[in-house]
Amino acid sequence: MTKHSRPWGYHAPEQSAQVDWELHPDTIAIRGGLARTGFGETGEALFMNSGFTYDSAEQAAASFRDDEEHFLYSRFANPTVAMFEQRLAALEGAEAAMATSTGMSAMFASVASMVKQGDRVVASLNMFSSCYVVLCEILPQWGIETVLVDDNSEAAWADALKEPTKLVFIETPSNPLLGLIDIRMVSDLAHKVGATVIVDNVMASPVLQKPLELGADVIMYSATKHIDGQGRVLGGAVCGSRDYIKNTLMPFIRHTGPSMSSFNAWVLLKSLETLTMRVERMSSNAQAVAEALEAHSAIERVYYPGLKSHPDYELAQRQMKSGGSTVAFKLKGDQSQVFKFMDALQVIDISNNIGDSKSLITHPTTTTHRRLTPEVREQMGITESTVRLSVGLESADDLVRDLTQALARL
Ligand SMILES: *Cc1c(COP(=O)(O)O)cnc(C)c1O
């Protein structure tokens, strides 16, 4: 066997399901991006390697010139990660996607690859707390201004988008209180002043909401949440046009290094196969839980886009397929009552993650949103009585029963 022998070959990473009709997302989730080696393995191969070899110095040079398609180094691209990227992009209906190590590195790269000193960014006030820190604490250190919009009215967004703006960043539904932003309305206003619209689509997942179809330009994911959804790996991804991914995002990631591990991509490829089924079930469970909580006398208020009482119920019906897997609520009572209730749960776990097959509950003020000042929390509507519940795949009956027995202890 010579140094150069490649007995097994590698099929070019073309989508294996090449058909002359448009495939349903359920099929894409199973077959999109699949690139088999010469072994013909059923499941996706795990390429757990950092580097790649070339047949000749000429081939290495041609590969670096981009004249030949060849993997160079796993910080830039890796066959298993590429399969995940292609499958996710196909599922999203995006031209391209790029995977990252975490949701936050996806968020940071999608923003930092675009802005420079003097730029203006407009964002929704209600967002994941680390995204808030990036936009409102880190970017200003670099001479970038972030303006926050506190509600979903057209007047408020039109006012914020009167002047030239580089970027609009919105999270909808928001974490933890499930506030909604009208993606089409904001995208139309943003495009008039030349801004690129990035949507943090983590809470809805690609199953329930398609921001690109509503006019947004870029989508970011924490793959840690619903995409894995089984408490195993961290990951992130950015989806967008081929031009944005290849010419803006890719050079930034290539040189700053927040790449996804191929092992995580391999786990996440399998996760995509069951994503639709899981999210639909979690969301129908969440609807049942939200309805039961709303009818309970110990609960002051329930925040869930699938309830008619949600201020943006109509928008949710238009923009999302269903209400999603997260329910927030306010208990009648202070923090000690909330803690007593959480400690009394027998099935639901106390944990700050979301989108998991196991139902998880958290008290945002003392955990996920502790980092924000009391003033910002108040502006966001998060109080010591607020609880966030990520509804999992258990039987909805058991979840309602667990919540009811814990509430009865108060
Ligand atoms: C979790 C989360 C993130 C960050 O993702 P990580 O994978 O934890 O880095 C960003 N946005 C939202 C809405 C999230 O829930």
Side-chain angles (χ1 to χ4, degrees):
M1 190 149 101
T2 70
K3 172 181 156 205
H4 300 299
S5 78
R6 294 176 195 281
W8 304 309
Y10 178 70
H11 296 184
E14 285 297 318
Q15 211 167 295
S16 69
Q18 296 260 1
V19 294
D20 51 13
W21 66 92
E22 203 177 319
L23 289 173
H24 191 279
D26 291 354
T27 307
I28 291 170
I30 312 289
R31 296 183 170 271
L34 178 60
R36 289 191 168 122
T37 72
F39 281 131
E41 65 281 357
T42 318
E44 296 70 17
L46 169 52
F47 289 87
M48 201 73 196
N49 60 303
S50 49
F52 302 86
T53 62
Y54 309 91
D55 289 334
S56 63
E58 287 72 22
Q59 189 189 35
S63 303
F64 271 76
R65 279 197 312 270
D66 235 359
D67 288 343
E68 186 165 332
E69 263 198 52
H70 196 294
F71 287 99
L72 308 177
Y73 187 49
S74 287
R75 168 151 50 78
F76 316 160
N78 168 285
T80 309
V81 179
M83 282 191 261
F84 170 69
E85 291 167 340
Q86 288 180 17
R87 185 169 295 176
L88 180 65
L91 195 59
E92 190 66 62
E95 285 177 6
M98 184 146 194
T100 57
S101 55
T102 64
M104 282 321 300
S105 59
M107 184 273 173
F108 183 68
S110 71
V111 170
S113 60
M114 289 204 66
V115 290
K116 61 177 188 323
Q117 187 177 16
D119 279 344
R120 183 171 187 272
V121 175
V122 173
S124 53
L125 168 72
N126 290 301
M127 61 178 134
F128 187 68
S129 65
S130 293
C131 299
Y132 182 91
V133 171
V134 168
L135 295 180
C136 300
E137 293 179 25
I138 297 177
L139 292 191
Q141 288 173 14
W142 299 341
I144 295 151
E145 182 197 12
T146 299
V147 175
L148 297 177
V149 181
D150 186 0
D151 72 53
N152 183 33
S153 74
E154 185 157 5
W157 282 93
D159 190 51
L161 290 168
K162 277 193 311 232
E163 3 176 343
T165 301
K166 182 73 190 181
L167 216 65
V168 170
F169 186 91
I170 54 177
E171 178 180 318
T172 180
S174 67
N175 182 356
L177 286 185
L178 293 312
L180 258 59
I181 304 280
D182 188 330
I183 298 174
R184 183 168 302 281
M185 180 262 285
V186 171
S187 300
D188 288 348
L189 290 167
H191 291 154
K192 281 188 197 145
V193 289
T196 297
V197 178
I198 304 180
V199 177
D200 180 338
N201 204 34
V202 170
M203 299 290 279
S205 89
V207 178
L208 302 184
Q209 181 168 272
K210 296 267 193 250
L212 297 180
E213 288 173 9
L214 299 165
D217 304 295
V218 175
I219 299 169
M220 61 129 294
Y221 283 112
S222 162
T224 319
K225 308 298 166 56
H226 304 83
I227 293 178
D228 174 40
Q230 289 148 91
R232 300 171 297 187
V233 297
L234 294 171
V238 183
C239 305
S241 70
R242 192 164 287 115
D243 175 52
Y244 168 80
I245 298 292
K246 187 165 188 278
N247 300 317
T248 301
L249 188 74
M250 167 65 173
F252 185 89
I253 289 180
R254 178 172 172 154
H255 298 299
T256 57
S259 321
M260 176 179 277
S261 128
S262 55
F263 177 77
N264 288 8
W266 178 75
V267 171
L268 293 166
L269 269 162
K270 281 284 145 211
S271 306
L272 283 179
E273 296 183 355
T274 55
L275 179 67
T276 306
M277 278 162 35
R278 286 185 287 111
V279 170
E280 283 173 355
R281 168 72 180 265
M282 287 157 103
S283 186
S284 68
N285 277 356
Q287 180 77 35
V289 165
E291 285 169 11
L293 288 171
E294 194 166 50
H296 199 287
S297 61
I299 304 294
E300 188 180 308
R301 180 168 171 193
V302 179
Y303 304 80
Y304 185 67
L307 290 179
K308 289 216 170 72
S309 58
H310 191 283
D312 288 315
Y313 175 75
E314 295 296 327
L315 175 60
Q317 295 291 108
R318 255 186 290 136
Q319 186 164 282
M320 299 172 68
K321 268 201 192 142
S322 63
S325 62
T326 308
V327 180
F329 51 97
K330 259 188 196 136
L331 224 63
K332 287 179 186 158
D334 59 8
Q335 181 173 311
S336 68
Q337 292 287 95
V338 171
F339 277 23
K340 198 171 165 197
F341 156 70
M342 289 171 65
D343 292 347
L345 291 165
Q346 294 171 12
V347 176
I348 299 166
D349 291 308
I350 299 171
S351 173
N352 43 279
N353 202 2
I354 57 161
D356 201 273
S357 54
K358 294 187 172 61
S359 292
L360 308 173
I361 199 161
T362 195
H363 180 240
T365 314
T366 50
T367 60
T368 53
H369 291 66
R370 197 188 69 89
R371 177 76 179 68
L372 303 175
T373 63
E375 294 74 45
V376 173
R377 275 202 301 269
E378 196 188 305
Q379 219 184 342
M380 290 181 171
I382 305 167
T383 72
E384 61 170 346
S385 313
T386 308
V387 183
R388 184 190 75 190
L389 172 63
S390 170
V391 180
L393 293 174
E394 303 95 337
S395 146
D397 290 346
D398 283 332
L399 297 176
V400 170
R401 198 156 167 183
D402 195 26
L403 291 161
T404 312
Q405 66 79 22
L407 287 169
R409 311 270 188 104
L410 300 181

